[in-house]
């Protein structure tokens, strides 16, 4: 059976007792996702660079009576390998393991021809969208290995397909991250219980979206909430055999046959 990830219906306690880190958890998809993960029982580690935004999500989760989250203020553009090692040490001490990692934060950079792209800006986009997820994943691997069923999600984008003109560093960084995902999925397939996949959310309104498409009617896309079942599916046990895939949250996938 082929069906859409949007139709996935997660159990209320799908992520009970799971510890899951979300980057860019203060806004857009990351904020809605963090709240939804907590609503399904997860202890969520909210990583982002704007503390006020993270505090707002933290307060909403606590007020709803969900498991107490944690805030990790970190600018992915400036963070070094040492910052990630410090984070790993703190999480090891607090939780002893990590069951999920969602690479969601992104920097759009600019939409312009490669010929004119500012090279410093190009490097900043690559650092935020590709190198930071690499460093974060590497640092957290020992914690992910201590989970009985860990899931890592890279966030991809349909705009990167086919080498579309003007998407420059954003497109290259996302394509690189998809490739990194597949390498990690292959390397971790044997001898670990870590699965690694990419998810294309599809268009929803957000700050990044408004910057990329300033002329768009904000009401033409689905609400962010419609994408969340796809993330829950990939983070929970119903996708235990899914590894190394690039899935689209708003399209049909064979992989869900037994799960919906
Ligand atoms: N919305 C769409 O239509 C769409 C389509 C395809 C793919 N995506 C992907 O979905 C993911 C979420 O995007 P979104 O649309 O929800 O965008 P968004 O609302 O603009 O959120 C982006 C998040 O990334 C954080 N961030 C940016 N640079 C950072 C840095 N250096 N360090 C730490 N955090 C940083 C932002 O933090 P601040 O708020 O502090 O700036 C924000 O929380 C991205 O990976 C994006 O590529 C979105």
């Amino acid at each position: 059976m082929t069906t859409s990830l949007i139709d996935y219906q997660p159990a209320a306690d799908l992520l009970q007792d799971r510890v899951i880190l979300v980057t860019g958890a203060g806004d857009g998809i990351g904020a809605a996702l963090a709240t939804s993960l907590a609503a399904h029982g997860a202890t969520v580690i909210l990583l982002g660079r704007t503390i006020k935004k993270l505090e707002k999500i933290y307060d909403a989760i606590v007020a709803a009576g969900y498991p107490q989250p944690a805030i990790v203020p970190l600018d992915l553009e400036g963070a070094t390998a040492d910052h990630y090692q410090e984070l790993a040490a703190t999480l090891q001490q607090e939780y002893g393991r990590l069951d999920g990692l969602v690479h969601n934060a992104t920097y759009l950079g600019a939409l312009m021809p490669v010929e004119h792209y500012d090279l410093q800006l190009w490097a900043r986009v690559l650092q935020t969208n590709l190198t930071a997820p690499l460093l974060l994943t590497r640092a957290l691997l020992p914690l992910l290995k201590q989970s009985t069923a860990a899931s890592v999600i890279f966030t991809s984008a349909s705009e990167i397909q086919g080498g579309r003109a003007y998407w420059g560093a954003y497109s290259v960084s996302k394509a690189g991250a998809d490739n990194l995902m597949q390498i990690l999925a292959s390397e971790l397939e044997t001898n670990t219980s870590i699965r690694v996949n990419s998810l294309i959310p599809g268009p929803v309104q957000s700050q990044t979206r408004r910057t990329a498409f300033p002329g768009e009617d904000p009401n033409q896309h689905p609400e962010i909430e419609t994408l969340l079942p796809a993330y829950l599916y990939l983070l929970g046990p119903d996708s235990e055999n899914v590894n190394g895939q690039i899935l689209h949250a708003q399209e049909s996938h064979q992989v869900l046959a037994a799960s919906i």
Side-chain angles (χ1 to χ4, degrees):
M1 190 173 93
T2 304
T3 187
S4 167
L5 281 168
I6 285 177
D7 297 327
Y8 176 66
Q9 292 179 358
D13 63 348
L14 183 84
L15 302 173
Q16 199 73 42
D17 300 327
R18 300 215 179 192
V19 183
I20 300 174
L21 188 150
V22 179
T23 72
D27 213 338
I29 296 171
L33 175 63
T35 310
S36 177
L37 299 181
H40 287 84
T43 297
V44 187
I45 299 150
L46 310 163
L47 187 151
R49 63 179 171 181
T50 310
I51 295 176
K52 261 192 175 4
K53 290 186 183 182
L54 298 175
E55 285 174 343
K56 199 174 149 199
I57 305 305
Y58 179 100
D59 289 346
I61 289 173
V62 170
Y66 303 147
Q68 186 177 5
I71 288 180
V72 176
L74 195 69
D75 183 343
L76 295 172
E77 195 185 317
T80 64
D82 286 348
H83 291 108
Y84 295 110
Q85 288 307 332
E86 280 169 31
L87 169 61
T90 305
L91 296 184
Q92 176 66 48
Q93 201 175 342
E94 289 296 317
Y95 305 105
R97 69 174 199 289
L98 191 64
D99 303 298
L101 169 59
V102 184
H103 295 295
N104 165 79
T106 202
Y107 183 32
L108 181 67
L111 296 183
M112 63 166 65
V114 169
E115 186 180 3
H116 303 302
Y117 211 104
D118 179 89
L119 290 181
Q120 277 184 347
L121 181 61
W122 186 284
R124 292 174 58 199
V125 175
L126 268 285
Q127 183 68 31
T128 306
N129 297 352
L130 179 57
T131 306
L134 163 70
L135 295 174
L136 182 59
T137 308
R138 267 173 52 125
L140 297 181
L141 271 180
L143 278 153
L144 290 162
K145 285 181 181 172
Q146 287 172 61
S147 168
T148 53
S151 173
V152 179
I153 301 177
F154 286 82
T155 310
S156 190
S158 46
E159 288 78 15
I160 71 168
Q161 285 160 7
R164 205 180 287 185
Y166 313 129
W167 282 82
Y170 177 83
S171 184
V172 169
S173 68
K174 291 280 186 188
D178 280 347
N179 194 235
L180 172 62
M181 175 280 289
Q182 284 164 329
I183 292 168
L184 285 168
S186 301
E187 291 178 355
L188 298 170
E189 194 162 31
T190 44
N191 303 325
T192 85
S193 59
I194 306 171
R195 300 180 293 108
V196 192
N197 294 282
S198 288
L199 188 61
I200 299 172
V204 286
Q205 268 315 309
S206 70
Q207 186 52 52
T208 296
R209 182 92 201 167
R210 282 187 288 278
T211 308
F213 299 95
E216 256 185 3
D217 171 5
N219 300 315
Q220 77 182 80
H221 301 304
E223 298 289 321
I224 284 181
E225 280 62 31
T226 61
L227 308 176
L228 302 181
Y231 287 89
L232 290 162
Y233 168 73
L234 274 182
L235 288 165
D238 290 324
S239 61
E240 62 180 350
N241 296 319
V242 182
N243 188 38
Q245 304 293 311
I246 302 174
L247 303 184
H248 196 304
Q250 300 185 47
E251 288 179 2
S252 298
H253 290 285
Q254 294 280 3
V255 292
L256 280 172
S259 312
I260 292 187

